[in-house]
C-alpha cells in the first residue's frame, strides 16, 4: 500500500539497520522534539474543552492504530472494533469497582480480555477472507454487545474510578491527559516497530496473498490470530481508558457506527501506517467538533430548522460518510500518501521529480 | 404446541421480510461481487420516500409507483456515483464504501425526516386478522409473504427468460467473458442496483405497514445478511430459504431460550447463526465453493 517514499538527499543507507530507521535527518529529530515539547506544554494553555479533545484524540488514536494492524497490515476487515473497546471498558471497570484491583493491572487485563474476545471472533477467519471476515466481526459486534448487556452489568454498566498509583490519583483532566498521552505514544511506537519486524512482514504477506504466504512458510492461522489479538488488545486498552476518563461505562458509548468511523479513519489516514492512523484520527475528531458547531450556526441563521438534535446526528453521519467515500474513490492510499508526496515535492523543488 | 405454531407462523412472516432484503443483497452480489451493506438503509429510504409521497396527497397507487421508481433511481444513482469508480479496486474499498453509504443514507434520512417513527396514512392491503382455528394471521403480514413469493417468481422469470436477465447471469459468471460476447458490464451493474432498489422499496412498503418507519430499521438489513450468507451468496432460492430460517430461528429462540439466556437472544440469534455458518460452511447452503489458485 505504501508507495516508494522518497528519502532525503545525501543520506545513504549503508547497512540494513540504516534502511529501517524511522528518523533520517537531524532536522527530523528536531521536529520530533519540538512536537513532543508542544504535547507536554499543551495542557498549560489549553482550555478544558481542548484538553478533553486531546484525551479523546489519544484514545481514538490507540484504537485506530490497533485497527490498522488488523485491517491495514493484515488485510482482515474488522468492523467490530467498538465492541472490543466495550469489552475493555467493562472488564477494567468491573475489576476496579467489584474486585478492587489497581488501575494498571486492570488496564492490562482489559487489553487481554479484548484480545481474547477478538481471538474468539477472529477464529473463523482461518477459512475465510475478504468481506466474510467483515461479516464475522459484524456478527461479533452484536453478540458482544448483547452479552455485555445480559451478563456483564447491563446498559449503564459500572462506575469506573480514576486511576490511582502510589497514592497519586489521576483526578484532574491534565494528569489524565499525560497518562493517555504516554500510553498512546508507547503503543504507537510499539505498532511502528511491529510493522517493520518479522511479524509485521508476515502480516503484510498475508494481506497480499494468504495462500502464497503459507507456501512461503508463514503459519497463516497463527499470524492471523496474532494480528487479531494485538489489534483487539489495543481496542481493549482504548475502551478502558475511555471508561475511566468518563467515570462510568455505558454501552451506548460504543455504537456500531463508531466501528465504521474507526475503519474510515484507517482508510482515510493510510493503510498500514501509524502516522496515517494519527492523521485519520485527527481529521475525524476535528470534523466531529465542526459538525457539532454547524447546527447552532444554521439555527442562528434560519430559526425555522428547529430539529436541532437530528440535524446534529444527521450531519455527522452524512459528513463522515462523504469524507470516507471521497477518500476511497479519489485517494485510496490515504492522507499519509499525500503527505509523503508533499514532502518529496519540497525536497526536489524546483524540479518535478 | 400452540405456542410452537404461533412462533412458527410469526417466524415465517418476519422471515419473508428478511427474504425480500436478502434478495436485494444477492442480486447485487451476483453481478457485481459487491456486498452491499447499505441495502437495509435503502429499504428504509424506500419506505420514507413512499411516506413523503403519501403525505403530499398523492393517490395511493401513484405513490406506490412513484416511490418504487424513486428508490430505484436513488439506487442506480448510488451505483453510478459511488460504486462504478471502484470496479477493479480491492474488497476493502467496496466494503468501506457500502458501509459508509449506510451511514450517509442514514444521515440524509435523519436530516430530511427526523428520528420519530412514521406510519403510512393509508393501508395498501386489507388489514385485520384472519382467524385460522387457533392461529391469528395478520393480513398485512400474509400479504408480505405473498408479495415476497410473487417478487421471487418475477425475478426468477426475469433471469431465466429475458435477454437482459440472461446477460446479467453471464456477467455474474465472469466479467471478462461477458465483455467478450458483447454485453455491457456497466449497464448490467446499473440494472442490478436498480432491481435491488425495487426489491428494497417493496420491502420498505411492507415494513412500513407492519411497524412504523424509523432509521433504526436498517438493523433488519444487517440481520438479513445472515439470511444471504446462510443461503449462499449467489443464490436467490438460497436467500429465500435463508430468510425463512433466520425468521424461524429468531422467533423460536426468542420464544424458548429467552428464559435461560436473557431476553435479547431472539434479536441476536441471526448473528450467532452468521458465526456458525462461517465456521461450518462459509459458502452457504446453495453457494459455490470457490477454489483459489495462486
Amino acid at each position: 500500500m505504501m508507495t516508494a517514499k522518497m528519502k532525503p538527499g545525501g543520506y545513504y543507507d549503508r547497512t540494513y539497520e540504516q534502511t529501517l530507521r524511522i528518523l533520517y535527518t537531524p532536522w527530523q529529530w528536531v521536529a520530533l522534539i519540538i512536537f513532543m515539547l508542544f504535547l507536554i506544554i499543551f495542557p498549560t494553555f489549553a482550555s478544558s474543552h481542548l484538553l478533553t479533545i486531546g484525551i479523546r484524540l489519544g484514545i481514538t488514536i490507540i484504537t485506530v492504530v490497533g485497527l490498522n494492524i488488523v485491517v491495514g497490515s493484515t488485510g482482515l476487515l474488522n468492523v467490530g472494533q467498538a465492541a472490543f473497546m466495550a469489552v475493555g471498558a467493562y472488564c477494567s471497570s468491573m475489576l476496579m469497582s467489584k474486585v478492587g484491583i489497581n488501575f494498571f493491572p486492570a488496564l492490562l487485563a482489559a487489553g487481554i480480555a479484548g484480545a481474547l474476545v477478538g481471538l474468539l471472533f477472529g477464529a473463523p477467519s482461518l477459512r475465510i477472507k475478504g468481506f466474510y471476515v467483515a461479516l464475522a466481526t459484524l456478527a461479533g459486534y452484536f453478540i458482544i454487545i448483547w452479552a455485555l448487556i445480559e451478563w456483564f452489568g447491563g446498559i449503564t454498566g459500572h462506575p469506573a474510578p480514576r486511576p490511582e498509583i502510589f497514592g497519586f490519583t489521576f483526578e484532574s483532566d491534565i494528569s489524565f491527559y499525560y497518562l493517555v498521552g504516554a500510553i498512546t505514544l508507547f503503543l504507537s511506537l510499539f505498532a511502528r516497530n511491529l510493522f517493520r519486524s518479522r511479524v509485521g512482514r508476515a502480516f503484510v504477506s498475508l494481506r497480499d496473498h494468504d495462500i502464497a504466504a503459507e507456501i512461503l512458510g508463514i503459519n497463516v492461522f497463527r499470524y492471523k490470530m496474532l494480528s487479531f489479538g494485538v489489534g483487539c488488545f489495543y481496542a481493549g486498552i482504548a475502551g478502558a481508558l475511555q471508561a475511566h476518563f468518563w467515570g462510568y461505562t455505558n454501552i451506548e458509548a460504543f455504537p456500531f457506527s463508531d466501528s465504521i468511523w474507526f475503519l474510515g479513519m484507517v482508510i482515510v489516514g493510510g493503510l498500514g501506517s501509524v502516522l496515517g492512523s494519527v492523521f485519520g484520527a485527527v481529521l475525524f475528531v476535528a470534523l466531529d467538533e465542526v459538525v457539532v458547531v454547524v447546527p447552532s450556526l444554521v439555527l442562528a441563521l434560519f430559526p425555522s430548522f428547529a430539529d436541532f438534535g437530528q440535524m446534529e446526528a444527521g450531519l455527522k453521519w452524512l459528513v463522515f460518510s462523504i469524507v470516507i467515500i471521497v477518500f476511497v474513490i479519489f485517494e485510496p492510499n490515504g492522507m499519509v500518501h499525500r503527505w509523503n508526496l508533499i514532502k518529496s515535492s519540497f525536497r526536489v523543488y524546483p524540479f518535478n521529480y | 404446541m400452540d405456542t410452537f405454531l404461533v412462533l412458527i407462523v410469526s417466524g415465517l412472516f418476519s422471515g419473508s421480510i428478511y427474504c425480500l432484503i436478502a434478495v436485494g443483497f444477492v442480486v447485487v452480489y451476483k453481478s457485481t461481487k459487491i456486498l452491499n451493506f447499505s441495502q437495509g438503509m435503502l429499504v428504509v429510504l424506500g419506505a420514507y420516500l413512499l411516506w413523503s409521497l403519501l403525505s403530499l396527497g398523492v393517490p395511493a397507487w401513484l405513490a406506490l409507483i412513484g416511490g418504487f421508481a424513486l428508490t430505484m433511481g436513488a439506487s442506480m444513482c448510488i451505483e453510478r456515483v459511488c460504486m462504478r469508480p471502484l470496479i477493479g479496486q480491492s474488497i476493502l474499498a467496496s466494503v468501506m464504501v457500502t458501509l459508509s453509504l449506510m451511514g450517509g443514507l442514514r444521515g440524509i434520512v435523519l436530516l430530511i425526516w427526523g428520528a420519530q417513527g412514521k406510519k403510512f396514512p393509508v393501508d395498501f392491503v386489507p388489514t385485520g386478522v384472519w382467524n385460522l382455528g387457533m392461529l391469528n394471521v395478520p393480513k398485512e403480514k400474509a400479504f408480505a409473504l405473498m408479495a415476497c413469493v410473487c417478487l421471487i417468481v418475477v425475478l426468477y422469470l426475469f433471469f431465466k427468460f429475458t435477454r437482459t436477465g440472461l446477460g446479467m447471469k453471464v456477467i455474474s459468471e465472469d466479467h471478462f467473458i461477458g465483455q467478450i460476447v458483447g454485453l455491457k458490464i456497466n449497464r448490467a451493474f446499473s440494472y442490478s442496483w436498480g432491481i435491488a432498489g425495487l426489491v428494497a422499496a417493496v420491502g420498505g412498503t411492507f415494513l412500513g405497514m407492519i411497524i412504523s418507519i424509523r432509521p433504526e430499521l436498517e438493523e433488519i438489513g444487517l440481520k438479513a445478511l445472515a439470511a444471504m450468507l446462510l443461503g449462499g451468496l449467489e443464490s436467490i432460492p438460497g436467500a429465500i430459504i435463508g430468510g425463512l430460517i433466520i425468521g424461524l430461528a429468531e422467533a423460536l429462540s426468542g420464544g424458548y431460550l429467552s428464559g435461560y439466556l436473557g431476553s435479547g437472544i431472539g434479536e441476536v440469534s441471526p448473528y450467532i447463526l452468521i458465526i456458525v455458518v462461517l465456521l461450518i460452511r462459509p459458502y452457504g447452503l446453495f453457494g459455490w465453493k470457490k477454489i483459489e489458485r495462486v
Side-chain angles (χ1 to χ4, degrees):
Chain A
M1 213 46 73
M2 284 278 279
T3 46
K5 188 165 64 179
M6 182 161 287
K7 282 170 180 157
Y11 293 86
Y12 302 108
D13 300 333
R14 293 193 185 81
T15 60
Y16 187 57
E17 282 71 32
Q18 282 177 331
T19 23
L20 279 178
R21 62 193 160 176
I22 301 173
L23 297 170
Y24 263 85
T25 66
W27 285 109
Q28 286 178 334
W29 277 103
V30 172
L32 179 72
I33 289 166
I34 291 175
F35 181 63
M36 287 298 145
L37 282 176
F38 168 76
L39 285 186
I40 288 170
I41 60 165
F42 176 71
T44 56
F45 61 86
S47 67
S48 70
H49 183 60
L50 264 181
L51 202 60
T52 312
I53 295 176
I55 295 170
R56 253 187 73 200
L57 189 59
I59 293 168
T60 315
I61 287 173
I62 294 175
T63 186
V64 174
V65 167
L67 191 60
N68 211 336
I69 295 173
V70 182
V71 177
S73 116
T74 323
L76 299 166
L77 267 166
N78 177 2
V79 295
Q81 190 80 347
F84 302 123
M85 281 179 77
V87 169
Y90 272 65
C91 176
S92 84
S93 63
M94 271 170 88
L95 281 180
M96 264 187 97
S97 61
K98 294 265 158 70
V99 186
I101 295 180
N102 185 279
F103 172 75
F104 291 92
L107 184 69
L108 199 63
I112 292 169
L116 288 178
V117 176
L119 290 184
L120 190 64
F121 289 101
S125 70
L126 171 65
R127 296 182 62 185
I128 56 182
K129 58 182 186 179
F131 54 75
Y132 286 99
V133 185
L135 280 177
T137 47
L138 177 119
Y141 172 85
F142 287 99
I143 295 172
I144 291 170
I145 295 295
W146 165 74
L148 288 178
I149 291 177
E150 293 291 342
W151 297 328
F152 295 99
I155 291 168
T156 44
H158 316 276
R162 282 290 169 92
E164 184 258 311
I165 189 168
F166 303 130
F168 177 75
T169 315
F170 292 85
E171 198 57 58
S172 67
D173 280 0
I174 293 182
S175 58
F176 203 80
Y177 166 85
Y178 286 121
L179 178 70
V180 170
I183 295 174
T184 310
L185 270 180
F186 173 71
L187 288 179
S188 305
L189 198 62
F190 182 81
R192 183 73 186 79
N193 282 331
L194 186 74
F195 283 153
R196 49 185 195 151
S197 69
R198 177 190 158 80
V199 177
R201 289 193 300 275
F203 286 169
V204 171
S205 70
L206 281 178
R207 176 189 73 197
D208 291 345
H209 206 299
D210 54 353
I211 295 174
E214 193 169 13
I215 292 165
L216 283 175
I218 289 163
N219 187 338
V220 174
F221 187 60
R222 199 176 133 211
Y223 278 102
K224 277 184 174 176
M225 288 298 96
L226 190 61
S227 167
F228 250 105
V230 176
C232 297
F233 180 85
Y234 276 59
I237 298 274
L241 285 173
Q242 182 173 332
H244 289 278
F245 174 53
W246 286 350
Y248 57 91
T249 52
N250 189 336
I251 210 77
E252 317 234 313
F254 306 100
F256 181 63
S257 57
D258 271 12
S259 299
I260 306 178
W261 308 144
F262 291 145
L263 209 51
M265 290 175 211
V266 169
I267 290 181
V268 167
L271 290 164
S273 149
V274 175
L275 184 64
S277 307
V278 177
F279 280 162
V282 169
L283 177 74
F284 273 74
V285 170
L287 268 181
D288 200 14
E289 294 301 316
V290 175
V291 163
V292 172
V293 176
V294 167
S296 54
L297 285 179
V298 174
L299 212 63
L301 292 173
F302 309 99
S304 54
F305 289 117
D307 271 346
F308 181 75
Q310 278 136 39
M311 188 150 69
E312 195 180 303
L315 262 186
K316 182 175 170 179
W317 286 95
L318 192 60
V319 170
F320 279 24
S321 312
I322 289 176
V323 167
I324 296 173
I325 291 174
V326 165
F327 262 93
V328 171
I329 292 176
F330 295 107
E331 183 53 284
N333 292 327
M335 286 162 86
V336 72
H337 177 66
R338 204 35 72 175
W339 170 251
N340 286 331
L341 287 183
I342 292 170
K343 273 203 303 194
S344 42
S345 74
F346 269 107
R347 275 180 198 140
V348 297
Y349 185 81
F351 304 108
N352 281 334
Y353 50 86
Chain B
M1 198 60 207
D2 277 10
T3 10
F4 182 69
L5 266 180
V6 169
L7 287 176
I8 289 276
V9 170
S10 85
L12 283 180
F13 286 142
S14 59
S16 64
I17 296 284
Y18 291 139
C19 291
L20 278 173
I21 303 172
V23 167
F25 282 125
V26 171
V27 169
V28 170
Y29 183 80
K30 256 173 97 81
S31 58
T32 63
K33 295 281 177 284
I34 283 170
L35 188 61
N36 177 17
F37 281 97
S38 64
Q39 183 74 21
M41 214 54 223
L42 270 179
V43 171
V44 178
L45 184 74
Y48 270 113
L49 285 171
L50 186 55
W51 179 85
S52 291
L53 286 176
L54 285 174
S55 56
L56 284 175
V58 180
W61 61 273
L62 197 63
L64 267 184
I65 296 173
F68 289 1
L70 279 176
T71 318
M72 270 178 88
S75 177
M76 284 160 106
C77 280
I78 287 172
E79 193 275 335
R80 184 68 194 84
V81 176
C82 301
M83 303 316 295
R84 199 167 295 173
L86 294 182
I87 292 177
Q89 292 265 19
S90 66
I91 288 169
L92 175 66
S94 69
V95 167
M96 200 58 237
V97 166
T98 53
L99 271 175
S100 14
L101 272 174
M102 189 170 105
L105 287 176
R106 190 185 182 129
I108 292 171
V109 164
L110 278 173
L111 281 178
I112 300 179
W113 290 286
Q116 293 102 352
K118 302 251 194 280
K119 232 17 205 149
F120 289 141
V122 293
D123 297 310
F124 300 104
V125 291
T127 52
V129 179
W130 276 315
N131 225 320
L132 302 176
M134 55 194 165
L135 280 177
N136 289 325
V137 180
K139 285 183 188 172
E140 64 268 19
K141 289 189 178 176
F143 273 101
L145 192 59
M146 281 185 236
C148 177
V149 173
C150 288
L151 200 69
I152 305 317
V153 171
V154 169
L155 278 179
Y156 178 77
L157 295 177
F158 174 75
F159 279 114
K160 189 100 184 165
F161 293 111
T162 65
R163 209 178 159 73
T164 328
L166 283 172
M168 283 167 69
K169 262 171 100 172
V170 173
I171 284 172
S172 74
E173 203 83 16
D174 193 316
H175 292 178
F176 188 61
I177 291 173
Q179 277 179 321
I180 288 176
V181 297
L183 296 161
K184 292 197 169 51
I185 286 205
N186 287 347
R187 200 173 289 171
F189 284 9
S190 181
Y191 288 155
S192 63
W193 276 78
I195 294 172
L198 178 70
V199 175
V202 175
T205 310
F206 282 104
L207 215 53
M209 275 187 295
I210 294 166
I211 34 181
S212 64
I213 323 160
R214 291 185 314 277
E216 293 83 45
L217 286 185
E218 67 169 338
E219 289 204 354
I220 293 182
L222 294 181
K223 284 186 205 160
L225 279 172
M228 181 210 191
L229 187 69
L230 185 59
L233 297 176
E234 292 96 353
S235 158
I236 289 181
I240 310 299
I241 293 168
L244 295 178
I245 292 176
I246 295 294
L248 285 177
E250 201 179 6
L252 290 178
S253 60
Y256 288 115
L257 295 177
S258 57
Y260 311 104
L261 292 170
S263 53
I265 181 73
E267 289 282 304
V268 86
S269 58
Y271 301 114
I272 296 176
L273 267 173
I274 288 186
I275 296 283
V276 171
V277 172
L278 284 178
L279 277 173
I280 297 170
R281 211 179 147 88
Y283 40 91
L285 294 173
F286 301 94
W288 301 326
K289 189 174 184 180
K290 287 194 192 63
I291 297 166
E292 196 177 353
R293 295 186 177 82
V294 182

